[in-house]
Amino acid sequence: MKNLKNIYLPLIAIIGASFLLSCGDSDSNSSSTKPKARGAIGEIILAIDSTKWNGPVGETLRGVFEQDVPGLIRYESMFDIRKVDPRGMTRILRMASNIIYVTTFDDRKSASQNINALFSKEAKEKAAADPSLYLLRSADEFAQGQEVVYLFGNNEQELIQNIEKNKNKLQNLFQVRERTRMEKILLSRKNSSAKVAGENLGLSINVPASYQIVKAEDDFLWLRQPTPRTDRADISMFFYETNYTSEEQVFPESIIALRDKITKMHIYGNPNNRNSYLIIERVDPTPVFSNFKINDNFGIEIRGGWKTNNLSMGGSFLAYVIVDAEKGKLYYMEGFVYYPNEAHREAIREIETVLLATELLSDENRVS
């Protein structure tokens, strides 16, 4: 089986075991004796001197971690940043799931010196000799299931250059991490009926037990959480299989046409109104298309907004198109959110987590 989670490769490596912190309070005990990390999905504790945060370094960091999530119907930042003075990193704060320490070794202010004291003399010498070094990762440093990242430089210019150069890698580091955290929560209990129904399409579909089948046909499956609450987004996901006959099928306009064909046939805002089928919003936001490879198969990610044809409903969506050229199949899978006047970021992250847990079945594993 080909797992879609593999589309994102590990992009940042730990800087070598010899590049050590001299931290005396980072607990030398095994991680099993430490408390479990805590914190909301998408939240990052950022320990940095206030002057740096209010200057060019802070502006650069905000451009990385508070960048607008593409394709949502309103502005939402990629992560929730909680800025903390390094001297105020209490035991409770150090139990956070995601922590980033930011410093430069030439900074003499006490807040930065608080972080600099964690680095060994050897580490500082290596950084001075190689300005391309800028990041150190430390797993489970203060708590189990924790990611601590140190961003450093000899001076602000070098640090800013390295952060800007590695912007996508830094974003991807925490995106993949948060998706992994969410997967452990969402898929602790799975819907076995949805998995069986997906096999008819040549897919191994892994969705939480809370999702139920709305409609299932030989080439189509629609899943939805049955009782959306006011404090919970209404999320639907659907999967579609068709023959792959031409590369023109993966052109943006062809994908939009395919999606409109699927929803016009199967999905309505109001089941009693055939004119309330879902369509893609073309203008605000404009759909965002990104290409990728999955086990030598071509794929496309699409993010954007949707609305009903009669303009009665709307929201954000995330979709993937996967081409299995060897089997001559094209798969379209999408999750869409209906949550008026509320944030969509974490609902889209849930959709991303579930869709990327989908696997393409080999012929011998497919239900005929």
Side-chain angles (χ1 to χ4, degrees):
M1 291 190 287
K2 303 172 182 178
N3 196 318
L4 302 191
K5 288 182 288 186
N6 295 330
I7 68 171
Y8 292 112
L9 299 177
L11 290 174
I12 302 180
I14 296 175
I15 290 177
S18 61
F19 200 79
L20 299 176
L21 296 173
S22 61
C23 181
D25 61 351
S26 61
D27 293 344
S28 60
N29 300 330
S30 68
S31 62
S32 62
T33 67
K34 299 175 183 178
K36 290 186 178 180
R38 61 183 67 176
I41 299 291
E43 181 183 73
I44 300 175
I45 299 295
L46 185 71
I48 184 174
D49 171 76
S50 293
T51 303
K52 270 188 168 46
W53 177 247
N54 294 323
V57 172
E59 182 179 357
T60 302
L61 290 167
R62 287 188 289 275
V64 174
F65 297 108
E66 294 184 347
Q67 179 177 307
D68 188 12
V69 178
L72 298 186
I73 60 174
R74 63 180 64 86
Y75 170 81
E76 294 183 52
S77 64
M78 194 170 289
F79 302 98
D80 296 325
I81 297 299
R82 184 179 174 187
K83 185 265 178 188
V84 176
D85 188 302
R87 297 164 295 185
M89 284 293 290
T90 64
R91 181 174 178 82
I92 296 298
L93 289 174
R94 287 190 298 167
M95 289 171 60
S97 293
N98 301 311
I99 301 175
I100 301 177
Y101 288 93
V102 183
T103 191
T104 56
F105 297 136
D106 66 345
D107 193 340
R108 299 306 172 194
K109 291 185 286 296
S110 61
S112 291
Q113 285 297 309
N114 183 276
I115 301 175
N116 293 347
L118 303 178
F119 287 81
S120 66
K121 179 182 178 181
E122 180 187 10
K124 294 174 183 177
E125 290 174 349
K126 288 197 174 192
D130 185 356
S132 67
L133 297 177
Y134 76 102
L135 176 145
L136 175 66
R137 293 176 61 183
S138 179
D140 303 335
E141 184 167 341
F142 307 111
Q144 297 180 56
Q146 181 182 64
E147 179 77 33
V148 178
V149 170
Y150 294 84
L151 297 178
F152 55 86
N154 297 304
N155 53 61
E156 290 197 358
Q157 182 180 0
E158 288 182 5
L159 178 59
I160 289 171
Q161 288 176 345
N162 280 321
I163 292 174
E164 290 178 339
K165 180 180 178 180
N166 295 280
K167 175 179 179 178
N168 292 338
K169 296 178 181 180
L170 289 167
Q171 290 174 341
N172 192 69
L173 167 63
F174 285 98
Q175 285 172 336
V176 171
R177 171 171 166 74
E178 295 306 84
R179 191 168 66 238
T180 301
R181 288 178 64 202
M182 182 170 275
E183 181 177 348
K184 290 179 180 177
I185 298 169
L186 290 176
L187 300 183
S188 59
R189 292 179 60 246
K190 301 177 185 179
N191 186 320
S192 57
S193 297
K195 194 173 187 70
V196 172
E199 291 173 355
N200 291 320
L201 282 67
L203 298 172
S204 176
I205 296 173
N206 299 290
V207 298
S210 59
Y211 284 75
Q212 293 186 4
I213 296 174
V214 179
K215 187 177 183 180
E217 297 187 357
D218 289 341
D219 60 356
F220 175 80
L221 176 63
W222 177 11
L223 305 170
R224 183 186 180 192
Q225 296 186 97
T227 54
R229 309 185 304 261
T230 56
D231 64 339
R232 182 82 164 82
D234 182 342
I235 300 176
S236 284
M237 300 187 194
F238 65 92
F239 304 80
Y240 179 79
E241 176 204 37
T242 189
N243 292 326
Y244 177 67
T245 58
S246 168
E247 67 177 23
E248 293 182 1
Q249 289 174 267
V250 295
F251 292 175
E253 286 301 320
S254 298
I255 292 173
I256 292 175
L258 173 64
R259 198 266 191 179
D260 288 348
K261 171 188 170 184
I262 297 168
T263 56
K264 191 171 184 178
M265 185 181 306
H266 296 291
I267 302 179
Y268 301 88
N270 178 359
N272 297 318
N273 182 357
R274 302 286 288 184
N275 197 42
S276 66
Y277 61 89
L278 274 60
I279 60 176
I280 288 179
E281 175 60 65
R282 300 293 192 102
V283 179
D284 187 18
T286 301
V288 179
F289 293 79
S290 304
N291 298 344
F292 63 86
K293 279 276 191 177
I294 164 66
N295 293 328
D296 295 326
N297 292 325
F298 180 72
I300 300 176
E301 178 189 85
I302 310 103
R303 294 175 180 262
W306 65 270
K307 60 186 178 183
T308 52
N309 188 54
N310 62 353
L311 305 180
S312 61
M313 300 172 67
S316 306
F317 79 91
L318 168 66
Y320 293 99
V321 174
I322 308 294
V323 173
D324 191 333
E326 184 178 329
K327 293 195 297 184
K329 293 294 182 181
L330 181 146
Y331 301 96
Y332 183 95
M333 54 190 78
E334 176 182 315
F336 61 91
V337 181
Y338 181 63
Y339 202 22
N341 304 316
E342 300 292 343
H344 287 187
R345 184 189 72 187
E346 293 311 315
I348 289 294
R349 198 193 305 275
E350 176 172 330
I351 290 167
E352 179 183 32
T353 299
V354 171
L355 294 184
L356 291 180
T358 302
E359 298 174 331
L360 307 184
L361 293 176
S362 60
D363 288 335
E364 56 266 26
N365 291 324
R366 177 171 180 159
V367 175
S368 57

